[in-house]
mmCIF file of all heavy atoms in Angstrom:
data_model
loop_
_atom_site.group_PDB
_atom_site.id
_atom_site.type_symbol
_atom_site.label_atom_id
_atom_site.label_comp_id
_atom_site.label_asym_id
_atom_site.label_seq_id
_atom_site.Cartn_x
_atom_site.Cartn_y
_atom_site.Cartn_z
ATOM 1 N N THR A 53 3.180 16.693 -82.805
ATOM 2 C CA THR A 53 3.087 15.696 -83.877
ATOM 3 C C THR A 53 3.530 16.378 -85.177
ATOM 4 O O THR A 53 4.022 17.509 -85.143
ATOM 5 C CB THR A 53 1.655 15.136 -83.993
ATOM 6 O OG1 THR A 53 0.778 16.208 -84.320
ATOM 7 C CG2 THR A 53 1.195 14.484 -82.702
ATOM 8 N N GLU A 54 3.352 15.693 -86.307
ATOM 9 C CA GLU A 54 3.847 16.217 -87.588
ATOM 10 C C GLU A 54 3.357 17.641 -87.857
ATOM 11 O O GLU A 54 4.112 18.485 -88.341
ATOM 12 C CB GLU A 54 3.401 15.319 -88.765
ATOM 13 C CG GLU A 54 4.088 13.979 -88.827
ATOM 14 C CD GLU A 54 3.388 12.905 -88.007
ATOM 15 O OE1 GLU A 54 2.494 13.256 -87.190
ATOM 16 O OE2 GLU A 54 3.728 11.718 -88.159
ATOM 17 N N LYS A 55 2.086 17.901 -87.511
ATOM 18 C CA LYS A 55 1.522 19.229 -87.804
ATOM 19 C C LYS A 55 2.259 20.322 -87.029
ATOM 20 O O LYS A 55 2.478 21.424 -87.532
ATOM 21 C CB LYS A 55 0.040 19.268 -87.393
ATOM 22 C CG LYS A 55 -0.845 18.381 -88.246
ATOM 23 C CD LYS A 55 -2.261 18.353 -87.685
ATOM 24 C CE LYS A 55 -2.965 17.089 -88.161
ATOM 25 N NZ LYS A 55 -4.060 16.680 -87.291
ATOM 26 N N ASP A 56 2.607 20.007 -85.791
ATOM 27 C CA ASP A 56 3.316 21.004 -84.978
ATOM 28 C C ASP A 56 4.742 21.209 -85.484
ATOM 29 O O ASP A 56 5.270 22.320 -85.435
ATOM 30 C CB ASP A 56 3.340 20.560 -83.507
ATOM 31 C CG ASP A 56 1.951 20.260 -83.003
ATOM 32 O OD1 ASP A 56 1.126 21.190 -82.972
ATOM 33 O OD2 ASP A 56 1.673 19.084 -82.692
ATOM 34 N N VAL A 57 5.343 20.120 -85.959
ATOM 35 C CA VAL A 57 6.686 20.255 -86.549
ATOM 36 C C VAL A 57 6.598 21.193 -87.746
ATOM 37 O O VAL A 57 7.423 22.102 -87.904
ATOM 38 C CB VAL A 57 7.276 18.875 -86.933
ATOM 39 C CG1 VAL A 57 8.537 19.034 -87.778
ATOM 40 C CG2 VAL A 57 7.579 18.060 -85.672
ATOM 41 N N ASP A 58 5.563 21.022 -88.579
ATOM 42 C CA ASP A 58 5.384 21.919 -89.728
ATOM 43 C C ASP A 58 5.270 23.377 -89.278
ATOM 44 O O ASP A 58 5.879 24.272 -89.877
ATOM 45 C CB ASP A 58 4.105 21.555 -90.502
ATOM 46 C CG ASP A 58 4.319 20.352 -91.415
ATOM 47 O OD1 ASP A 58 5.491 20.020 -91.688
ATOM 48 O OD2 ASP A 58 3.312 19.738 -91.837
ATOM 49 N N ILE A 59 4.479 23.598 -88.241
ATOM 50 C CA ILE A 59 4.273 24.978 -87.764
ATOM 51 C C ILE A 59 5.585 25.558 -87.219
ATOM 52 O O ILE A 59 5.948 26.699 -87.517
ATOM 53 C CB ILE A 59 3.161 25.008 -86.688
ATOM 54 C CG1 ILE A 59 1.818 24.625 -87.339
ATOM 55 C CG2 ILE A 59 3.072 26.382 -86.027
ATOM 56 C CD1 ILE A 59 0.696 24.410 -86.347
ATOM 57 N N ALA A 60 6.310 24.735 -86.454
ATOM 58 C CA ALA A 60 7.578 25.203 -85.874
ATOM 59 C C ALA A 60 8.604 25.476 -86.974
ATOM 60 O O ALA A 60 9.332 26.480 -86.933
ATOM 61 C CB ALA A 60 8.115 24.172 -84.885
ATOM 62 N N VAL A 61 8.631 24.599 -87.982
ATOM 63 C CA VAL A 61 9.592 24.796 -89.075
ATOM 64 C C VAL A 61 9.230 26.065 -89.856
ATOM 65 O O VAL A 61 10.119 26.858 -90.205
ATOM 66 C CB VAL A 61 9.657 23.556 -90.008
ATOM 67 C CG1 VAL A 61 10.471 23.853 -91.271
ATOM 68 C CG2 VAL A 61 10.261 22.364 -89.271
ATOM 69 N N SER A 62 7.943 26.313 -90.090
ATOM 70 C CA SER A 62 7.652 27.551 -90.839
ATOM 71 C C SER A 62 7.915 28.791 -89.999
ATOM 72 O O SER A 62 8.333 29.818 -90.557
ATOM 73 C CB SER A 62 6.276 27.578 -91.501
ATOM 74 O OG SER A 62 5.323 27.058 -90.675
ATOM 75 N N ALA A 63 7.765 28.691 -88.691
ATOM 76 C CA ALA A 63 8.141 29.837 -87.827
ATOM 77 C C ALA A 63 9.648 30.096 -87.945
ATOM 78 O O ALA A 63 10.097 31.250 -88.076
ATOM 79 C CB ALA A 63 7.767 29.540 -86.376
ATOM 80 N N ALA A 64 10.416 29.000 -87.913
ATOM 81 C CA ALA A 64 11.878 29.137 -88.003
ATOM 82 C C ALA A 64 12.284 29.669 -89.383
ATOM 83 O O ALA A 64 13.202 30.478 -89.519
ATOM 84 C CB ALA A 64 12.540 27.796 -87.732
#
Side-chain angles (χ1 to χ4, degrees):
T53 62
E54 289 88 347
K55 292 174 203 156
D56 306 297
V57 169
D58 281 343
I59 294 171
V61 170
S62 41

